[in-house]
Amino acid sequence: MSWSTRDTHFDKDLVTTNGNKYMIGNGYMGYRGTLEEFGKEQLVAVTLAGLYDKAGDKWREPVNAPNGLYTSIACDGEDLTVLDSEVASHVQELDIRSAVHCRETVYNLPEGGLLTFSAERFASLDNQHLLVSRLSIHSTRDCRIVIETGIDGKVWDINGPHLFELQEQLEKDVLITSAITGELKIPVVVAEQAVFSFGEQQIDEGKALRRISVEVRAGETYEWYKYVAVYTGLDALNAGDTPTPIEAAVHAVRSAQAQGYAVLLNNHRQLWEDRWSHSDVIIEGDEEAQFALRYSIYQLLIIAPAESEKVSIPARGLSGQVYKGAVFWDTEMFMLPFFLHSDPGIARNLMMYRIHTLDGARRKAAEYGFLGAFYAWESQDTGDDACTLFNVNDVFTGRPMRTFFRDKQVHISADVVHGIWQYVQFTGDDSLLLDGGAEVVWECARFFYSYAYYNSVKERYEILDVTGPDEYHERVNNNAFTNALVKETLEIAMRTAELLKEKYPEAYRDLSAQFSAGPYLAEFEAMLDSFYVPQPDPESLIIEQFDRYHKLEEVTLAELKSRVINKHEYWGGGNGLATTTTILKQADIVLMLNLFKHSFTKAVKKANWEFYEPRTEHGSSLSPCIYALVAADIGSPDWGYPYFMRTATVDLTGVSKQYVGDLYIGGTHPAANGGAWMAAVLGFAGLYFDGETVHIHPSLPKQWQSVELPVVLRGGSFRLHISRDEVTVSAAASNREDLAFTIQDGQPELCHPGAQLRLRLEAASV
Amino acid sequence: MSWSTRDTHFDKDLVTTNGNKYMIGNGYMGYRGTLEEFGKEQLVAVTLAGLYDKAGDKWREPVNAPNGLYTSIACDGEDLTVLDSEVASHVQELDIRSAVHCRETVYNLPEGGLLTFSAERFASLDNQHLLVSRLSIHSTRDCRIVIETGIDGKVWDINGPHLFELQEQLEKDVLITSAITGELKIPVVVAEQAVFSFGEQQIDEGKALRRISVEVRAGETYEWYKYVAVYTGLDALNAGDTPTPIEAAVHAVRSAQAQGYAVLLNNHRQLWEDRWSHSDVIIEGDEEAQFALRYSIYQLLIIAPAESEKVSIPARGLSGQVYKGAVFWDTEMFMLPFFLHSDPGIARNLMMYRIHTLDGARRKAAEYGFLGAFYAWESQDTGDDACTLFNVNDVFTGRPMRTFFRDKQVHISADVVHGIWQYVQFTGDDSLLLDGGAEVVWECARFFYSYAYYNSVKERYEILDVTGPDEYHERVNNNAFTNALVKETLEIAMRTAELLKEKYPEAYRDLSAQFSAGPYLAEFEAMLDSFYVPQPDPESLIIEQFDRYHKLEEVTLAELKSRVINKHEYWGGGNGLATTTTILKQADIVLMLNLFKHSFTKAVKKANWEFYEPRTEHGSSLSPCIYALVAADIGSPDWGYPYFMRTATVDLTGVSKQYVGDLYIGGTHPAANGGAWMAAVLGFAGLYFDGETVHIHPSLPKQWQSVELPVVLRGGSFRLHISRDEVTVSAAASNREDLAFTIQDGQPELCHPGAQLRLRLEAASV
């Protein structure tokens, strides 16, 4: 079974796509899958999690560090690079099992003979500050090779520059590039040690670049190593360390050198083995799906904030500065489920990030005249909203277009609450509530209480003037998805209070004191008593996406596409093509049906899937996985399979928009990666945990024999094997509690620590 | 003092403008100021009030009747027309005192000599079906003249054709053109009798055209007459007459012929004298303003529905089919005040039109899920809304643009209620309430009760998601103008109930029975108790036009204009240039300050005038008059004077948009005509009647010595003379009651029937 993806020739047109596809990372930094000799033009990026900077009046974005792995080769005075030289063969490969990137390029030398340049690299999982690389050259004839390697300070920025007072210096053998950011004056330091056992080395004063000259002899292999450390002022601040970032970086590369490449790689590999041991999903019978799903999980693992609760996962991961490096609802709704099932510690970090940014959400609510917390649509370090009111340019006039992402997508606050409650349900770890989670939940409920309006004739509270997941229809009333989530927020606010009152009465008293003047539980309860959530039509079973959706123009997707004048035109916004029609950008009602799958009958889910599917453009990479999930849920996994594959391969094929005008908007798609996992595990394997009982309702695509995966639920580890006729549950011996399992909604059975349950499925339902 | 306007040469480019400027009419029909030989290409139109037709899927519009005054002249086989012939001199003149249109054209004959063609016409005020004309020719040399005259059935339509089964026939000497409309199959009939005392007449079978050949002798004048009658199936329906429209039309022209031109003209003139006697406003010291104001009044008088309560005044009067011939809020807010002061019978008809269209308003409310009555933004015969959801085309894409005139300009229902209550206040005629007015008032209040939402945190009812008068800002919350008018609606609903309960308890019981299930008075009262109307900021005194208006981009009008890419681009709508800025289309807050002038201090009015005036584009002809009114109110009449003049001359200068693309949108501007009257009388002369006391607070522009006018208030007739130092009130001897007058907010003094009051003004305040 393959664990790697590779390209066997070089294609200039794929430089950007491969930058995403071959990415490595360790949650602290992402390193794009570019080649050693590449520079900013090829979108090399060492993107740092959680460090943002604002240049002038342009939007804030994450900071890219200088590239400590920069290396170029010249032979007999001629530069060798895949971009311009004659390449005899070229392989780029990513081993997703160990998160190691390799390239091997064989050049036809200008005056005959072949020179092979190989490089292997990884972003250490053992020490998140480290980038490590082994490189080599080998020639079929004698020649003079000059290797330039060091730290490339010419950083790719979308909205830069962000690094000021850039200094390049040498401390003993270590090259150091240091700078400070423009806005917050945070130091950014890269240190590099390169270890050569050949050639003559020269370092120009004030340049972070080594030049190694060597007379290479035919047939011999010349190998060297690079140890690169990245530190920022945020690390020192986080850890309360005494050393400066420079000292820390120098110390890190020296330690790395002392351990040596083999040891570092081995440690890194073991940690990756460990990661896969609690996250790998094995699909029997479908190799293509197997690799795509593993690759999706890989993409999530390389960007997961395993060691920080101050950052979350941006919408384009750590693949660059795209989308402002901002955290969207994607994290809670599309990525969190994977971590909840496989690595609750990371799930906790993701939710702690929302707790740490509560004040930003409070500021946003106050800015708009509301109570409580209105989370940022595009969240960065402080939780203040990075989203502008003019997020899209009109292609017909070139003018910025007023969009309502920032001020009307209120469901974000409900998504955060949903995530917090999911965490508590899945882990049983209610310390998150004590650590600020309860405050977030209540503040979000207060926000919605102040946002809601009561209609005296209909005698109900409504949520007016919002944009739901389907962003092509802005400023709608009673978006069913939003209303359902607001209701859930109010319910969670009540349950949180009950839970804390009962288990932690003193803490509850302290935490709730600030809300004594209300609105608080009494008001939430009153609102819940007469809160409107759109329901299925008794005849058609269709849930109307929002008030008067059914009055919009009915048009086919093909017809709408035929009206496009400019292929880059935005279908939403003020005059967008889709806005006056029933065509949706992405799953909206269907997403709600997935979130609250046990509140709706199969007939309702089926009717709405069939109604909304032909009306969905899937203009967001978040959409297809939801259709796959609900297709599985309604017993039609083969309807869902193409959507699953489209989702799982998005970063492998690179089939997604890369540019709008001259603005790069590509990058990886962590929400789709998480969506692929959800479709496979929560959809086809049919896993559903309600906080007490694990429900399994397999709905496997026809190619799939079985799905096998490890899960961690309420602190216990289980291994599940789900096939067409049987589900096997193996509980770890170290588990402390039993857990109940049920298949096909049958009688729950308890799985004791160390025990194995075998549950037979009735054929008809699979 | 001049009572006429004239052009002394012919200019092809002014054909369309002069069609408006030289219009005649009598409320039943409008006849555009075109020349006798003109056809549909020159936008000849005999526009019928209240008869609408829809062709195919195009929008409904009023029906133009065939032109019974069509006449052309040929001399020695050559057609003579101002459009193509050599014209020695040409005069077109409109006598607004008698509403008589004249033209005299002297042609240079091809082979020497001059031929003078004169024509005089009027739309009889004595018999609203009649058009009457006297024509003559005179030549300086002998020649052979052929006159073609009859009924031109080739009708100008914007969205036609509307006339089907067109038949041309002769009944004895009378030409008849009859047809039926496409949609409602309403007969439209034009009959014509031409009376010649010379020449030979020939009428081709099946053509409604006479050809008169005459050998003209030099120096002699040849005069003839035309009597034209227009009838439709609506007349028969209205009147319950037994004759057919054809019989009625034939009878009408025969009667007219029997009476003869001189008698008809005399009767017409006397009725016009009478009209002017109770509507003329005399300005001493400013001839230009005097004529412009009289001309404005003239425009109102020729379209006033004196004899029907089934029609109101469309936004472009009877000057064609523009704006669908639809009735907007213009009538209540800009035209009604003139009629309330001068001709309460017409004011009653205007309000009865709203009562007759209540069911259409109920249907519209129900269509949107509301209770009560939501009046049409563009109202035609049934009260169903003629306004589409896509009222403007995007110039950049050519696509229809979703606008929110129809569904969000809810203030229309409040405007109607305001009009009804104004009528009752001014006339004391509460029969209007018994005749359906009360039902309208209550249904509109019920509409707003169902439209309103209660915010539990702010503890108030709000009006969300509306478009106010400033249409550049659609879908705003708590538009101050709208909220103030909604509040007034609720108050009027309460007062109407009190009035009827007290005076007509039985009628009240019957009328209110249908509302017993509520919402009704109890709910209106509850809403009033906590209803939000934006108030002046305590510091700046500015009333925010709507929620978050102050957060919009502050930009000068000049700067905004510099951003225009296409001069026809619409500034409102989805992506309009003004939508994200503080630039307004037209008076909004300032209009509210005018409507509720006694609820705000002068300081508030001044602060808001000064704040909003530079932010107002005056993109509507309804805007400048309001700035004139409030300028006068705050004691700065000279700030207001240019706005007054711009308003009063709009149909004289023709300075307004005539075309959008190939769509004619010109026509007359009755709202501006009414606005000019308001600015002069309610603004500069400072007249304000609160239903009990007449307040006079003159604020005359520096050129003006005095304003003198007749008014009818609570059934009593008064003549007011308002100068800088004195106000004289003369009450008609026939008045039945005293009326109280006060100047400069002093002690009211009663003016007894037949008496004269002289009230001295303190100089300082003028």
Side-chain angles (χ1 to χ4, degrees), chain B residues 491-529:
Chain B
E491 289 166 348
I492 291 171
M494 305 296 292
R495 280 195 242 164
T496 297
E498 285 159 24
L499 186 156
L500 295 187
K501 255 184 229 175
E502 197 180 310
K503 286 183 70 174
Y504 313 98
E506 274 182 52
Y508 176 73
R509 209 172 315 124
D510 293 348
L511 286 170
S512 63
Q514 63 183 303
F515 305 117
S516 59
Y520 189 52
L521 304 179
E523 287 80 2
F524 302 161
E525 197 159 15
M527 183 165 157
L528 273 172
D529 277 347

Coordinates of all heavy atoms in Angstrom, one line a residue, chain B residues 491-529:
Chain B
E491 N -50.6 56.2 15.6 CA -51.3 57.3 16.3 C -52.6 57.6 15.6 O -53.7 57.8 16.2 CB -50.5 58.6 16.5 CG -49.3 58.4 17.5 CD -48.2 59.4 17.4 OE1 -48.2 60.2 16.4 OE2 -47.4 59.5 18.3
I492 N -52.6 57.7 14.3 CA -53.8 58.0 13.5 C -54.8 56.9 13.7 O -56.0 57.2 13.7 CB -53.4 58.3 12.0 CG1 -52.6 59.6 12.0 CG2 -54.6 58.4 11.2 CD1 -52.0 59.9 10.6
A493 N -54.3 55.7 13.7 CA -55.2 54.5 13.9 C -55.9 54.7 15.2 O -57.2 54.4 15.3 CB -54.4 53.2 13.8
M494 N -55.2 55.1 16.2 CA -55.9 55.3 17.5 C -56.9 56.4 17.5 O -58.0 56.3 17.9 CB -54.8 55.6 18.6 CG -53.7 54.6 18.8 SD -54.2 53.0 19.3 CE -54.8 53.4 21.0
R495 N -56.4 57.5 16.9 CA -57.3 58.7 16.8 C -58.5 58.5 16.0 O -59.6 59.0 16.3 CB -56.5 59.9 16.3 CG -55.6 60.5 17.4 CD -55.2 61.9 17.0 NE -53.7 61.9 16.9 CZ -53.0 62.8 16.3 NH1 -53.6 63.8 15.7 NH2 -51.7 62.7 16.3
T496 N -58.3 57.8 14.9 CA -59.5 57.5 14.0 C -60.5 56.7 14.8 O -61.7 57.0 14.7 CB -59.0 56.6 12.8 OG1 -58.1 57.4 12.1 CG2 -60.1 56.2 11.9
A497 N -60.1 55.7 15.6 CA -61.0 54.9 16.4 C -61.7 55.8 17.4 O -62.9 55.7 17.6 CB -60.2 53.8 17.1
E498 N -60.9 56.7 18.1 CA -61.6 57.6 19.0 C -62.6 58.5 18.4 O -63.7 58.6 18.9 CB -60.5 58.5 19.7 CG -59.6 57.8 20.7 CD -58.3 58.5 20.9 OE1 -58.2 59.7 20.7 OE2 -57.3 57.8 21.3
L499 N -62.3 59.0 17.3 CA -63.2 59.9 16.6 C -64.5 59.2 16.2 O -65.6 59.7 16.4 CB -62.5 60.5 15.3 CG -63.1 61.6 14.5 CD1 -62.1 62.4 13.7 CD2 -64.1 61.0 13.5
L500 N -64.3 58.0 15.6 CA -65.5 57.3 15.1 C -66.3 56.8 16.3 O -67.6 56.9 16.3 CB -65.1 56.2 14.2 CG -64.5 56.6 12.9 CD1 -64.3 55.3 12.0 CD2 -65.3 57.6 12.1
K501 N -65.7 56.3 17.3 CA -66.4 55.9 18.5 C -67.3 57.0 19.1 O -68.4 56.7 19.5 CB -65.3 55.5 19.6 CG -65.1 54.0 19.8 CD -64.2 53.8 21.0 CE -63.1 52.8 20.6 NZ -62.1 52.6 21.6
E502 N -66.7 58.1 19.1 CA -67.4 59.2 19.7 C -68.6 59.7 18.8 O -69.7 59.9 19.2 CB -66.4 60.4 20.0 CG -67.0 61.4 21.0 CD -66.0 62.5 21.3 OE1 -64.9 62.1 21.6 OE2 -66.4 63.6 21.2
K503 N -68.2 59.9 17.5 CA -69.2 60.6 16.6 C -70.1 59.6 16.0 O -71.3 59.9 15.6 CB -68.5 61.4 15.6 CG -67.9 62.7 16.1 CD -67.3 63.6 15.1 CE -68.3 64.2 14.1 NZ -67.6 65.2 13.2
Y504 N -69.6 58.4 15.6 CA -70.4 57.5 14.9 C -70.3 56.1 15.5 O -69.7 55.2 14.9 CB -69.9 57.4 13.4 CG -69.7 58.8 12.8 CD1 -68.5 59.3 12.7 CD2 -70.8 59.5 12.2 CE1 -68.3 60.6 12.1 CE2 -70.6 60.7 11.6 CZ -69.4 61.2 11.6 OH -69.2 62.5 11.0
P505 N -70.8 55.9 16.7 CA -70.6 54.7 17.4 C -71.1 53.4 16.7 O -70.4 52.4 16.7 CB -71.3 54.9 18.8 CG -72.2 56.1 18.6 CD -71.6 56.9 17.5
E506 N -72.2 53.6 16.0 CA -72.7 52.4 15.3 C -71.8 52.0 14.1 O -71.4 50.9 13.9 CB -74.1 52.6 14.8 CG -75.1 52.3 15.9 CD -76.5 52.5 15.3 OE1 -76.8 51.9 14.3 OE2 -77.3 53.2 16.0
A507 N -71.5 53.1 13.4 CA -70.6 52.8 12.2 C -69.3 52.3 12.7 O -68.7 51.3 12.1 CB -70.4 54.1 11.5
Y508 N -68.8 52.8 13.8 CA -67.6 52.3 14.4 C -67.7 50.8 14.7 O -66.8 50.0 14.3 CB -67.2 53.0 15.6 CG -65.9 52.5 16.2 CD1 -64.7 52.6 15.6 CD2 -66.0 51.7 17.4 CE1 -63.5 52.1 16.1 CE2 -64.8 51.1 17.9 CZ -63.6 51.3 17.3 OH -62.5 50.7 17.8
R509 N -68.8 50.4 15.3 CA -68.9 49.0 15.6 C -68.9 48.1 14.4 O -68.1 47.1 14.3 CB -70.3 48.8 16.3 CG -70.3 47.7 17.3 CD -71.6 47.6 18.1 NE -71.9 48.9 18.6 CZ -73.1 49.5 18.4 NH1 -74.1 48.9 17.7 NH2 -73.4 50.7 18.9
D510 N -69.5 48.6 13.3 CA -69.5 47.8 12.1 C -68.1 47.8 11.5 O -67.7 46.7 11.0 CB -70.5 48.4 11.1 CG -71.9 48.2 11.5 OD1 -72.2 47.5 12.5 OD2 -72.8 48.9 10.9
L511 N -67.5 48.9 11.4 CA -66.2 49.0 10.7 C -65.2 48.2 11.4 O -64.3 47.7 10.8 CB -65.8 50.5 10.6 CG -66.6 51.3 9.5 CD1 -66.2 52.8 9.7 CD2 -66.2 50.8 8.1
S512 N -65.2 48.3 12.8 CA -64.1 47.7 13.5 C -64.3 46.2 13.8 O -63.4 45.5 14.2 CB -63.9 48.4 14.8 OG -65.1 48.3 15.6
A513 N -65.5 45.7 13.5 CA -65.8 44.3 13.8 C -64.8 43.3 13.2 O -64.4 42.4 13.8 CB -67.2 44.0 13.3
Q514 N -64.4 43.6 12.0 CA -63.5 42.7 11.3 C -62.1 42.6 12.0 O -61.4 41.7 11.7 CB -63.3 43.1 9.8 CG -62.7 44.5 9.7 CD -62.5 44.9 8.2 OE1 -62.0 44.2 7.4 NE2 -63.1 46.1 7.9
F515 N -61.8 43.5 12.8 CA -60.5 43.5 13.5 C -60.6 43.0 14.9 O -59.6 43.1 15.7 CB -59.9 44.9 13.5 CG -59.8 45.5 12.1 CD1 -60.5 46.7 11.8 CD2 -59.1 44.9 11.1 CE1 -60.5 47.2 10.5 CE2 -59.0 45.4 9.8 CZ -59.7 46.6 9.5
S516 N -61.7 42.4 15.3 CA -61.9 42.0 16.7 C -60.9 41.0 17.2 O -60.5 41.0 18.3 CB -63.3 41.5 16.9 OG -63.5 40.4 16.1
A517 N -60.4 40.2 16.2 CA -59.4 39.2 16.7 C -58.0 39.8 16.8 O -57.1 39.1 17.3 CB -59.4 38.1 15.7
G518 N -57.9 41.1 16.4 CA -56.6 41.7 16.5 C -55.7 41.2 15.4 O -56.0 40.4 14.7
P519 N -54.5 41.8 15.4 CA -54.0 43.0 16.1 C -54.9 44.2 15.8 O -55.2 44.5 14.6 CB -52.6 43.2 15.7 CG -52.3 42.1 14.7 CD -53.5 41.3 14.4
Y520 N -55.2 45.0 16.8 CA -55.9 46.2 16.7 C -55.5 47.2 17.7 O -54.3 47.2 18.0 CB -57.4 45.8 16.7 CG -58.3 46.9 16.3 CD1 -58.2 47.7 15.1 CD2 -59.4 47.3 17.1 CE1 -59.0 48.7 14.7 CE2 -60.3 48.3 16.8 CZ -60.1 49.0 15.6 OH -61.0 50.0 15.2
L521 N -56.4 47.9 18.3 CA -55.9 49.1 19.1 C -55.0 48.7 20.2 O -54.1 49.4 20.5 CB -57.2 49.8 19.6 CG -58.1 50.3 18.5 CD1 -59.3 51.0 19.1 CD2 -57.4 51.2 17.5
A522 N -55.3 47.6 20.9 CA -54.5 47.3 22.1 C -53.1 47.0 21.6 O -52.1 47.5 22.3 CB -55.1 46.0 22.8
E523 N -52.9 46.3 20.5 CA -51.6 46.0 20.0 C -50.9 47.3 19.5 O -49.7 47.5 19.7 CB -51.7 45.0 18.9 CG -52.0 43.6 19.4 CD -53.5 43.3 19.6 OE1 -54.3 44.3 19.4 OE2 -53.8 42.2 20.1
F524 N -51.7 48.2 18.9 CA -51.1 49.4 18.4 C -50.6 50.2 19.6 O -49.5 50.8 19.5 CB -52.1 50.3 17.6 CG -52.8 49.6 16.4 CD1 -53.9 50.1 15.9 CD2 -52.2 48.5 15.8 CE1 -54.5 49.5 14.8 CE2 -52.8 47.9 14.7 CZ -54.0 48.3 14.2
E525 N -51.4 50.2 20.6 CA -51.0 51.0 21.8 C -49.7 50.4 22.4 O -48.8 51.2 22.8 CB -52.1 51.0 22.8 CG -52.0 52.1 23.8 CD -53.3 52.5 24.5 OE1 -54.2 51.7 24.4 OE2 -53.3 53.5 25.1
A526 N -49.7 49.1 22.5 CA -48.5 48.5 23.1 C -47.3 48.8 22.2 O -46.2 49.1 22.7 CB -48.7 47.0 23.1
M527 N -47.4 48.8 20.9 CA -46.3 49.1 20.0 C -45.9 50.5 20.2 O -44.7 50.8 20.3 CB -46.7 48.8 18.6 CG -45.6 49.0 17.6 SD -46.0 48.2 16.0 CE -44.9 49.1 14.9
L528 N -46.9 51.4 20.3 CA -46.5 52.8 20.5 C -45.8 53.0 21.8 O -44.9 53.9 21.9 CB -47.8 53.7 20.5 CG -48.3 54.1 19.1 CD1 -49.7 54.8 19.2 CD2 -47.3 55.1 18.5
D529 N -46.1 52.3 22.8 CA -45.5 52.5 24.1 C -44.0 52.2 24.1 O -43.3 52.8 24.9 CB -46.1 51.5 25.1 CG -47.4 52.0 25.7 OD1 -47.7 53.2 25.5 OD2 -48.2 51.2 26.3

